[in-house]
Amino acid sequence: MSEAIVKLHYDIDAEDFTTAGEASSGVKKTLTRLGVNHEVIKRVAIAMYEAEINAVIHANGGTADVEITPERVTVIIADNGPGIPDLDQAMTPGWSTATNLVREMGFGAGMGLPNMKRYTDEMYVDSKVGVGTKVTLIVNMNRQGA
Amino acid sequence: MLKVSEIVKILDAEVLTGEENMDLEIYSGCGADLMSDVMAFVKESVILCTGLVNPQVVRTAEMMDIKVLCFVRGKVPGEAVIELAREKGITILATRQPLFICCGLLYSNGIKGRGVWN
Ligand SMILES: Nc1ncnc2c1ncn2[C@@H]1O[C@H](COP(=O)(O)OP(=O)(O)O)[C@@H](O)[C@H]1O
Ligand SMILES: [Mg+2]
């Protein structure tokens, strides 16, 4: 791939659940076009998609900022939603506050944050109740020890 | 392993899109109605059998490089879902079988691969 740094920005719209995932889809396309390793692309796509879905179902939408360098892909998903009161609890596999409606759409298994952690090399969650949530996802181009 | 063409026969399925992919080889399967559970599962050459027919099923398949979806219980997706799958090169099958029977038939006919949570 080229040595240049690629930056992408997306607005994540929560009006229509059917469009959720378009930002992740766009990033996947760009990474594929740049010739990034297949496993790296898949890990970024899955982690980002979970974060994007969370912004839609828990926070009424937000933004995605992506930076691609020769070393790593960094994805920042930020929202002005309700925030996460207890992060340890939120990170527990299976724990979810999703509504039945969301569950009928196939989300709300409480596996989103654990999946993000699992597929990334680094993950940071900054969340403040009543202010919003910022999730940073980093996947290295060359994964060490995995 | 089963080819998509064999899966179509075994499940008495209809091919909604992806007629050109009948020779694809499928080694492992996943039956789920919760997409995050699907994403907890990493494997290549997977068929995803699900009772959900919304666009997020196709999105999940896209992110996970799942090439074949099978909608169960006679569920029919909207045209937008089929169009999205076509755009992404994802094959969609539809069967009247319920999810449990669908998975059982595929397993007993040779798809033994499973996912791993590592
Ligand atoms: N962006 C967010 N804003 C507010 N709450 C969130 C956000 N992301 C996650 N949460 C909280 O953390 C819980 C667990 O998230 P997750 O593991 O993705 O599971 P799920 O989305 O299936 O509920 C959610 O149910 C929700 O309560
Ligand atoms: Mg989630």
Side-chain angles (χ1 to χ4, degrees):
Chain A
M1 65 179 285
S2 79
E3 294 295 296
I5 294 174
V6 176
K7 290 187 181 185
L8 305 165
H9 174 86
Y10 299 87
D11 288 320
I12 301 169
D13 193 1
E15 299 284 285
D16 183 1
F17 186 74
T18 62
T19 62
E22 279 185 355
S24 305
S25 176
V27 170
K28 188 171 196 244
K29 257 185 226 138
T30 302
L31 292 171
T32 305
R33 187 169 50 73
L34 291 171
V36 170
N37 169 276
H38 172 86
E39 267 315 298
V40 171
I41 296 177
K42 190 157 150 181
R43 291 169 58 215
V44 171
I46 295 171
M48 178 172 174
Y49 181 52
E50 287 281 15
E52 187 179 353
I53 290 285
N54 276 359
V56 171
I57 64 179
H58 301 300
N60 204 31
T63 56
D65 285 278
V66 182
E67 191 182 86
I68 306 161
T69 71
E71 286 79 37
R72 67 186 63 83
V73 183
T74 306
V75 177
I76 298 174
I77 308 272
D79 65 62
N80 301 311
I84 303 174
D86 183 340
L87 191 57
D88 285 340
Q89 189 177 43
M91 288 295 302
T92 308
W95 196 83
S96 175
T97 61
T99 59
N100 277 335
L101 188 69
V102 165
R103 225 158 268 147
E104 279 162 25
M105 303 293 285
F107 286 88
M111 295 306 290
L113 290 166
N115 275 345
M116 287 176 230
K117 177 124 196 106
R118 176 178 180 226
Y119 285 107
T120 56
D121 291 298
E122 291 173 59
M123 172 186 176
Y124 307 98
V125 183
D126 297 310
S127 191
K128 215 173 191 168
V129 173
V131 179
T133 301
K134 185 172 100 174
V135 178
T136 304
L137 306 164
I138 299 175
V139 176
N140 296 329
M141 292 292 182
N142 298 301
R143 194 182 202 186
Q144 278 111 24
Chain B
M1 187 277 284
L2 288 173
K3 286 195 173 185
V4 176
S5 56
E6 297 173 295
I7 293 173
V8 169
K9 272 193 212 114
I10 290 162
L11 300 180
D12 190 18
E14 206 182 316
V15 182
L16 301 185
T17 181
E19 295 80 1
E20 66 280 13
N21 300 326
M22 292 302 115
D23 284 337
L24 264 182
E25 296 179 343
I26 301 297
Y27 290 85
S28 57
C30 178
D33 284 351
L34 286 171
M35 293 303 111
S36 292
D37 284 342
V38 177
M39 284 185 282
F41 173 105
V42 237
K43 263 282 158 93
E44 299 296 317
S45 312
V46 178
I47 181 169
L48 167 60
C49 303
T50 180
L52 275 190
V53 292
N54 65 46
Q56 297 311 325
V57 176
V58 178
R59 288 271 181 228
T60 301
E62 177 192 2
M63 302 311 158
M64 296 212 62
D65 298 323
I66 292 175
K67 300 278 182 270
V68 185
L69 293 175
C70 183
F71 293 135
V72 302
R73 301 194 285 273
K75 295 266 178 89
V76 181
E79 190 50 46
V81 171
I82 298 175
E83 191 46 51
L84 187 63
R86 194 173 290 140
E87 198 181 290
K88 308 292 177 195
I90 293 167
T91 299
I92 298 187
L93 312 180
T95 177
R96 300 188 63 79
Q97 302 287 2
L99 185 57
F100 178 77
I101 302 297
C102 177
C103 296
L105 283 170
L106 294 181
Y107 186 86
S108 57
N109 279 280
I111 297 183
K112 307 276 182 180
R114 46 154 290 174
V116 266
W117 172 274
N118 42 15

